[in-house]
């Protein structure tokens, strides 16, 4: 491979990080734009400092090569402590770096504080208007519990928000420290047990935006995905209204058979289907499972094949997660899948 080809391959590889579903430099919201702007400012200043230092290093080498090592002029230059040289050393070693750090702090501290409130109140949603959208997100091993206080909606691994509106996301953790980051919409903030933090999500336009846990939290940390679904306001309101509804009784014998399999298996010890049985909040609420696009903490498309594999052997799909496998198979598994796929 020629040098040009190698350089081109390296450039393509580096630029590939500027796009994709979790690209920080491709923002779709005001907060994310601030984060991207800060990155570019730091990149520009870092590049400028690097170029200046490299130019000085090259000049120093070139000057040194013109004279023999025992040239008395070199020794005299090294011992030169004239005011001009002292000022150059003071500026290059103290004033210059201090100015760079001062500028970066002046720019980055307000931007960092704007990302979120690390001391948000843990109580309720007082202070918000009824139409404001507030979302409580609890990080668990290795998925996200999503609740809409005041709207009686519980779901998992998907946050629906109205596009073009500020949505307050209040975060905490059930077990260990996690970190919530949806790069295209906002900065990163920790979810800590016993504390509530808060950040604002705002999407410029409808779309689906992917995020993840960015604080190592265990074996399946890299598979702890969150999806933010931004919708038009009317569409969001319709989604909320639908999610508020409990499931009606199964309309067919086949679905009733699947429901009996569900409540006769270990599934019922951790999961809830509102309208069909008692509440249980150890695992994700499954009341409207079929309306979600993903399962398994956001890593698998929600289709029949993935659902069957997840029920039978979740460790094969996501090693380290807390869901045990089941012994359900054959006709019983088919009936259970029919039932779960009916939970729109």
């Amino acid at each position: 491979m020629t040098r040009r080809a190698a350089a081109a391959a390296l450039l393509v590889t580096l630029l590939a990080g500027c796009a994709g579903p979790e690209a920080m430099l491709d923002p779709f919201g005001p907060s994310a734009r601030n984060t991207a702007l800060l990155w570019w400012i730091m990149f520009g200043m870092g590049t400028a400092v690097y170029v200046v230092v490299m130019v000085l290093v090259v000049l120093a080498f070139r000057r040194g090569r013109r004279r023999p090592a025992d040239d008395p002029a070199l020794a005299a230059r090294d011992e030169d402590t004239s005011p001009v040289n002292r000022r150059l050393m003071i500026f290059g070693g103290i004033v210059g770096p201090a100015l760079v750090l001062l500028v970066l702090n002046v720019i980055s501290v307000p931007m960092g504080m704007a990302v979120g409130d690390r001391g948000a109140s843990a109580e309720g949603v007082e202070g918000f208007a009824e139409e404001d959208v507030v979302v409580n997100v609890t990080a668990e091993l290795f998925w996200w519990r999503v609740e809409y206080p005041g709207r009686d909606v519980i779901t998992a691994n998907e946050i629906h928000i109205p596009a073009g509106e500020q949505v307050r996301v209040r975060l905490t953790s059930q077990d260990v420290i996690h970190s919530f980051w949806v790069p295209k919409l906002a900065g990163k903030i920790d979810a800590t047990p016993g504390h509530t933090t808060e950040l604002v999500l705002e999407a410029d336009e409808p779309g689906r935006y992917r995020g993840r846990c960015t604080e190592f939290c265990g074996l399946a940390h890299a598979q702890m995905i969150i999806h933010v679904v931004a919708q038009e306001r009317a569409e969001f309101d319709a989604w909320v209204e639908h999610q508020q509804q409990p499931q009606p009784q199964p309309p067919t014998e086949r679905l009733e058979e699947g429901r009996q399999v569900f409540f006769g298996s270990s599934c019922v010890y951790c999961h809830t289907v509102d309208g069909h049985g008692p509440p249980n909040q150890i695992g994700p609420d499954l009341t409207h499972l079929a309306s979600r696009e993903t399962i398994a903490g956001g890593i698998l498309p929600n289709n029949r094949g993935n659902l069957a594999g997840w029920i039978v052997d979740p460790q094969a799909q996501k090693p380290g997660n807390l869901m045990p496998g089941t012994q359900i198979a054959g006709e019983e598994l088919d009936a259970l899948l029919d039932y779960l796929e009916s939970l729109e």
Side-chain angles (χ1 to χ4, degrees):
M1 181 182 290
T2 65
R3 290 184 178 179
R4 288 186 178 180
L10 177 61
L11 182 61
V12 169
T13 302
L14 292 175
L15 292 178
C18 300
E22 297 175 33
M24 183 195 74
L25 299 181
D26 186 22
F28 278 79
S31 180
R33 271 193 291 279
N34 282 341
T35 304
L37 175 61
L38 178 60
W39 188 93
W40 282 112
I41 291 173
M42 295 179 72
F43 177 75
M45 294 184 69
T47 302
V49 170
Y50 176 80
V51 169
V52 169
V53 170
M54 288 300 102
V55 168
L56 292 176
V57 169
V58 170
L59 290 176
F61 272 111
R62 292 185 63 180
R63 290 185 63 184
R65 291 177 59 183
R66 292 173 183 167
R67 296 175 179 172
D70 57 352
D71 189 336
L74 286 177
R77 188 189 64 188
D78 293 340
E79 295 174 359
D80 184 3
T81 56
S82 65
V84 174
N85 276 356
R86 282 203 301 270
R87 281 195 287 270
L88 282 174
M89 286 188 286
I90 291 173
F91 182 83
I94 301 176
V95 178
L99 283 174
V100 171
L101 293 176
L102 178 63
V103 171
L104 286 178
N105 275 286
V106 168
I107 296 172
S108 63
V109 169
M111 286 185 174
M113 294 178 67
V115 167
D117 181 359
R118 288 161 177 76
S121 169
E123 289 84 24
V125 292
E126 292 81 3
F128 299 107
E130 185 176 349
E131 64 273 17
D132 289 342
V133 179
V134 180
V135 186
N136 289 341
V137 176
T138 303
E140 306 199 24
L141 295 173
F142 297 92
W143 60 286
W144 307 88
R145 186 187 304 276
V146 179
E147 302 172 86
Y148 291 73
R151 286 180 165 82
D152 195 24
V153 170
I154 301 178
T155 184
N157 306 311
E158 285 186 0
I159 301 175
H160 287 245
I161 64 173
E165 297 184 27
Q166 290 190 343
V167 175
R168 299 201 173 277
V169 178
R170 302 164 58 80
L171 292 130
T172 188
S173 170
Q174 184 71 18
D175 34 59
V176 299
I177 297 176
H178 301 267
S179 196
F180 177 94
W181 193 22
V182 184
K184 286 178 178 284
L185 297 184
K188 182 174 66 174
I189 195 166
D190 284 349
T192 309
H195 297 274
T196 300
T197 53
E198 183 176 305
L199 85 167
V200 174
L201 287 181
E202 181 177 355
D204 295 334
E205 58 188 58
R208 191 174 181 86
Y209 306 94
R210 194 172 77 184
R212 64 175 59 245
C213 176
T214 50
E215 180 78 28
F216 180 73
C217 56
L219 186 60
H221 157 70
Q223 296 175 304
M224 189 171 169
I225 307 297
I226 185 77
H227 296 271
V228 176
V229 183
Q231 302 166 295
E232 297 292 353
R233 182 69 194 210
E235 189 179 354
F236 169 77
D237 289 340
W239 177 84
V240 169
E241 184 177 355
H242 177 73
Q243 297 288 314
Q244 290 172 332
Q245 305 303 316
Q247 282 293 329
Q249 292 304 303
T252 67
E253 290 185 4
R254 176 67 172 177
L255 295 182
E256 176 57 28
E257 181 184 348
R259 190 182 80 89
Q260 293 297 330
V261 173
F262 180 86
F263 284 96
S265 69
S266 57
C267 304
V268 72
Y269 298 130
C270 298
H271 299 287
T272 291
V273 177
D274 188 19
H276 287 187
N280 198 328
Q281 296 194 353
I282 295 177
D285 188 300
L286 302 183
T287 304
H288 296 283
L289 171 66
S291 69
R292 300 173 199 160
E293 293 194 18
T294 62
I295 60 172
I299 64 169
L300 297 175
N302 188 3
N303 56 48
R304 191 177 182 89
N306 286 334
L307 195 55
W310 182 249
I311 292 170
V312 174
D313 190 2
Q315 297 304 317
Q317 310 284 336
K318 188 174 181 176
N321 83 86
L322 302 184
M323 178 168 159
T326 68
Q327 301 298 317
I328 304 172
E331 185 60 29
E332 282 194 335
L333 179 59
D334 277 339
L336 176 60
L337 292 172
D338 287 342
Y339 170 66
L340 294 176
E341 289 184 320
S342 74
L343 302 178
E344 291 286 350

